[in-house]
Amino acid sequence: RDFFEFSRWEEALERHNLQLEFYLRARAENEVLPWDHLSCGIPKEFFAAERAMALRLEYTPDCREGKCSNCGVCDFEDIRMRYAEAEPNLPTSEPAPEAADTPVAEERYKVRLQLAKRGKARFVSHLEFMTVVNRALRRIKAPVRYSAGFHPHPRISFPDALPTGVESEAEIIDIELFHAPDIDLFLTRLDAELPENFTVQNAEEIPWNSPTPAAAIRTSTYRVPTNPAFPADLEARIEQALQAESIIYTRMKKEKPVEVDLRPDIADLHLHHDALELTLHKGSPVVITAYLLKAEHNQVRSMGICKSRVTMKSEI
């Protein structure tokens, strides 16, 4: 409404000799209505009769449970009023038992996915990334388990948020299902439904009680391609960071300077001929790279940082 000016509408109506009252008046039932070109198979006379009943406060019963309303849609053979039966459409390696519309507590399976975010997908935020995965799973009708309670949510576990602007070859996502899936088919169909620059790298079934990705990931490794902005003393700065007991770094948070210790987040640092490699327990590769390169965060985000791999605690 910030830019709404009714005087402009009045000027346009006057220019074209249109009367606003004509379009706002009550319509008669026998005149051509703006929506008469739409048809859902029910004659206009039936709607007129229903309108008259509504004005008399008379109730039309649901014909799925009461008597027929004679709307004219049903032929009582192929077309008839009935409740839809919703079932998952994803083929499974184990046939689901008959009459199992509601999964029992024992039917618990978990699939671990490794997804890649490349190119323009690196600008997708963590919340948007979660939405992308949720929608793709709905499109393939995956038998995803939901949490209990008044507001059930799909039981999908994501890793810690990836900084915006950072690519990844190793986003780990756990999905709980109530049917055991055909893993290869699950991977193929989900990959086909993901937007451009999102790719399913791998899928495997894991024990349903496995820790979430955030708890199961031991370290994440990031690569920063060699850049002219790398300082000449970068190797010395890396050695100094690895030997330090603490690295106090000041960053802005909500327009206020905040001091943080970066050292506990760092597992290892290496400078190769083609890239700077950071292996982190947690934390943002953008912040640590900015510290090592003595650069601004926005400059670092444009350097093509990529999460190349993760190490799971079970691999130790």
Side-chain angles (χ1 to χ4, degrees), residues 77-270:
E77 293 180 3
D78 296 329
I79 303 175
R80 64 186 186 280
M81 291 296 291
R82 58 191 183 276
Y83 290 103
E85 297 179 1
E87 294 183 359
N89 195 29
L90 183 68
T92 61
S93 56
E94 298 178 9
E98 294 184 6
D101 293 333
T102 303
V104 296
E106 290 74 22
E107 290 184 306
R108 301 187 71 171
Y109 304 88
K110 184 178 284 189
V111 171
R112 175 160 289 173
L113 303 178
Q114 179 179 329
L115 270 68
K117 291 174 60 180
R118 306 185 184 95
K120 293 181 179 179
R122 70 186 186 277
F123 297 115
V124 173
S125 71
H126 188 63
L127 289 177
E128 291 168 332
F129 177 50
M130 295 169 65
T131 301
V132 165
V133 174
N134 272 299
R135 289 178 175 175
L137 289 168
R138 287 203 299 269
R139 284 195 289 272
I140 67 172
K141 296 184 171 65
V144 178
R145 288 183 63 90
Y146 277 72
S147 62
F150 193 72
H151 293 290
H153 296 281
R155 300 187 69 90
I156 305 174
S157 301
F158 291 84
D160 291 336
L162 192 69
T164 303
V166 175
E167 293 187 340
S168 177
E169 296 287 339
E171 291 302 283
I172 306 300
I173 301 172
D174 287 356
I175 304 168
E176 286 195 36
L177 309 172
F178 58 81
H179 288 162
D182 180 321
I183 291 295
D184 292 336
L185 183 60
F186 188 95
L187 186 154
T188 301
R189 293 188 62 188
L190 182 62
D191 189 57
E193 290 296 334
L194 287 171
E196 184 181 1
N197 297 319
F198 291 91
T199 309
V200 182
Q201 304 284 75
N202 185 48
E204 62 176 336
E205 187 174 344
I206 61 174
W208 69 266
N209 57 351
S210 299
T212 64
I217 294 175
R218 179 174 178 260
T219 60
S220 300
T221 300
Y222 301 86
R223 289 178 63 83
V224 186
T226 300
N227 190 288
F230 282 17
D233 63 342
L234 181 55
E235 288 191 13
R237 291 181 63 82
I238 290 174
E239 187 66 25
Q240 182 181 7
L242 292 175
Q243 293 179 0
E245 293 185 0
S246 64
I247 301 174
I248 304 302
Y249 179 75
T250 302
R251 58 179 300 187
M252 299 301 293
K253 187 172 184 181
K254 295 183 179 179
E255 301 181 357
K256 294 183 179 180
V258 177
E259 290 188 346
V260 294
D261 185 1
L262 303 180
R263 187 60 185 90
D265 296 343
I266 301 173
D268 204 357
L269 301 170
H270 286 284

